[in-house]
Amino acid sequence: MTTLISFLGKSQLDSKTGYRTARYRMPDGTIHETAYLGLALAEHLAAERVILLGTESSMWDLLVENVAGDHAADELRLELFDAVKESRVTQSLLDDVAPSMAAQLGRPVASLLIPSCATFAEQQEVLTRLADHLHQSECVVLDLTHGFRHLAMLGFAAARYLVHARGVTVQGLYYGAFDMTHNGVTPVVTLDGLAHLQEWAEAFEAYEASGDFSRFAPLLVQDGFPSEAAVALERAWQLLMVTNVNDAAKSLQPVLKQLGEPLSGASELFRARLLKVLRWSQESTLSGKFRQLALQSLERGDALRASIFGLEAFLAREVEAAAGNPLDYAQRKAADEHFQAQVRDGSVPDWKREAFWLLKNVRNSCAHGTPPSHARHAQLLRNPQQLARELEATLNRLTNTP
């Protein structure tokens, strides 16, 4: 089901005739002549129902007169005219005229009386009422043309709120730009791109919390990114979740190739940042990939992943230094045992010994939920900020020191 949500305001142009009639040019070039863009959008988009939002002084009377005309009972029309004039429209009165409106429009109409939304409490009230009138997975289109100017901002916020709180799909945001009228034609501006920008911002917030870069895949596809590359991006995250770093990096190669060229839409604004997120996969060695992942985990405050990736970076580096294959489990295990034997006989530098045990103890402690026996490491785990500094210094030294 597609539902159109439209605001109804109080015209400052003519208290008797309401909004000026305009010849609105839709994004596809078709022209609709009307005083109320929302109603034209309902027809143009074949919306299955309409939700109208207005205050107690909005032009409900003129809307009903324009749409329902003689089909609305005379006493109701007169009562509504008086109520609008005195700014005392009630929800029950709007409910009474709704059937006449629906009969003429050929689709259900819900007229919701809202406050002026001058305070956050009133704005919250509107968002809650809207959510109550929508269903899970419903498709929604918003018309932000009429009403108080600040209601356009509320409508934009409502679009994102309803996506998360009600699970709806926002198919479009429209604004009839009357001030841009030229040669008698008023353009209808789509604001979907701005909503897409907000989706990108939310996706990066989610990434910062979890490291999940697969969230960017559907946003990229929306802007024309090849679907096979988007699938590869999602696959890379699935592999990374099981610490299959080498295959994850391979899966990202077609993604990086696409990101090397300018993208369409909002995706282009975030391309450089996304490349930075995936730069770990371009390291030439497995130890380098692990190390970059560890540092990125630290930036997100994820000590567990930082220690896991950090320890793997350390051991992979040991295997690589011996000209071995860090993907070979037997060689990795042998390198681990050989290094610990060197620690026992005192043949490794102090910094290297300390780096190994810091990474290993932190990993074990975070994984098992038990404090390490090493007193200093136990103290670090009680001070996350100091732990992050120590881990970062250790990871940086892995590259800079032989």
Side-chain angles (χ1 to χ4, degrees):
M1 173 183 286
T2 298
T3 296
L4 173 74
I5 300 172
S6 182
F7 291 93
L8 180 65
K10 181 177 182 180
S11 175
Q12 302 299 315
L13 301 175
D14 192 321
S15 61
K16 294 183 179 180
T17 61
Y19 294 120
R20 295 173 184 167
T21 296
R23 298 180 67 237
Y24 287 106
R25 183 179 64 239
M26 298 295 178
D28 67 355
T30 59
I31 302 293
H32 294 257
E33 186 168 348
T34 179
Y36 306 100
L37 177 60
L39 301 183
L41 276 173
E43 290 289 341
H44 180 71
L45 300 172
E48 295 170 87
R49 68 175 178 134
V50 176
I51 297 177
L52 297 172
L53 306 176
T55 67
E56 58 186 4
S57 62
S58 292
M59 294 184 299
W60 299 107
D61 52 346
L62 299 176
L63 179 66
V64 171
E65 188 71 12
N66 182 274
V67 175
D70 295 337
H71 292 273
D74 288 339
E75 61 272 18
L76 281 177
R77 291 162 60 194
L78 291 173
E79 184 179 355
L80 186 60
F81 268 68
D82 290 340
V84 171
K85 184 177 180 180
E86 299 172 11
S87 298
R88 56 174 180 80
V89 174
T90 63
Q91 183 62 57
S92 60
L93 183 54
L94 295 178
D95 293 340
D96 289 340
V97 298
S100 300
M101 293 271 289
Q104 288 303 107
L105 291 175
R107 50 180 58 83
V109 176
S111 299
L112 302 186
L113 189 66
I114 63 172
S116 60
C117 298
T119 66
F120 183 56
E122 291 181 344
Q123 295 156 13
Q124 285 180 296
E125 178 186 340
V126 173
L127 295 178
T128 301
R129 292 196 64 193
L130 267 179
D132 290 341
H133 278 76
L134 297 171
H135 309 292
Q136 190 81 16
S137 302
E138 189 168 356
C139 295
V140 171
V141 175
L142 285 99
D143 166 33
L144 309 177
T145 304
H146 304 302
F148 296 125
R149 290 186 179 182
H150 69 285
L151 292 182
M153 295 184 66
L154 178 63
F156 186 81
R160 301 310 307 151
Y161 168 76
L162 293 171
V163 167
H164 296 291
R166 205 61 177 166
V168 305
T169 299
V170 176
Q171 287 189 324
L173 297 169
Y174 294 87
Y175 175 73
F178 195 84
D179 291 342
M180 294 171 62
T181 299
H182 181 68
N183 291 333
V185 177
T186 301
V188 176
V189 178
T190 59
L191 303 174
D192 301 3
L194 297 179
H196 195 34
L197 279 176
Q198 184 62 30
E199 289 180 302
W200 268 98
E202 292 169 4
F204 264 105
E205 287 180 1
Y207 164 77
E208 293 297 339
S210 65
D212 182 1
F213 50 74
S214 69
R215 293 174 179 268
F216 304 118
L219 302 182
L220 288 164
V221 170
Q222 189 174 332
D223 283 337
F225 200 71
S227 58
E228 59 273 18
V231 170
L233 182 65
E234 294 173 333
R235 175 63 175 162
W237 171 246
Q238 294 168 352
L239 291 167
L240 192 58
M241 282 198 297
V242 293
T243 325
N244 187 346
V245 172
N246 191 61
D247 286 339
K250 289 180 180 179
S251 184
L252 286 174
Q253 296 314 301
V255 180
L256 294 170
K257 182 178 179 180
Q258 291 294 329
L259 292 177
E261 300 293 334
L263 302 178
S264 301
S267 295
E268 174 60 19
L269 298 176
F270 294 91
R271 181 167 64 94
R273 189 173 177 187
L274 184 52
L275 280 169
K276 184 178 179 181
V277 166
L278 303 177
R279 66 184 177 185
W280 60 268
S281 64
Q282 297 177 294
E283 291 287 331
S284 60
T285 62
L286 184 62
S287 63
K289 293 179 176 65
F290 272 120
R291 177 181 167 276
Q292 284 294 337
L293 285 167
L295 288 170
Q296 288 185 0
S297 298
L298 273 183
E299 290 177 0
R300 298 193 307 272
D302 189 345
L304 173 58
R305 285 179 184 266
S307 58
I308 290 174
F309 289 138
L311 183 60
E312 292 307 314
F314 186 99
L315 294 173
R317 186 171 180 267
E318 290 297 298
V319 177
E320 291 163 357
N325 178 8
L327 293 173
D328 186 301
Y329 174 76
Q331 293 185 46
R332 178 197 176 282
K333 183 178 180 181
D336 187 358
E337 294 173 348
H338 176 69
F339 180 79
Q340 292 194 50
Q342 288 182 309
V343 169
R344 287 191 294 272
D345 65 26
S347 59
V348 297
D350 290 345
W351 78 266
K352 200 171 186 180
R353 181 187 68 251
E354 292 170 1
F356 174 78
W357 286 115
L358 172 65
L359 293 168
K360 191 152 191 169
N361 285 338
V362 171
R363 185 204 64 173
N364 291 344
S365 181
C366 289
H368 302 298
T370 55
S373 56
H374 192 289
R376 182 170 175 277
H377 295 168
Q379 183 180 13
L380 285 174
L381 284 163
R382 292 192 293 269
N383 188 336
Q385 292 180 336
Q386 180 62 29
L387 174 62
R389 289 192 291 268
E390 291 275 353
L391 287 174
E392 182 178 12
T394 296
L395 291 168
N396 286 331
R397 198 168 187 185
L398 286 181
T399 293
N400 298 330
T401 308

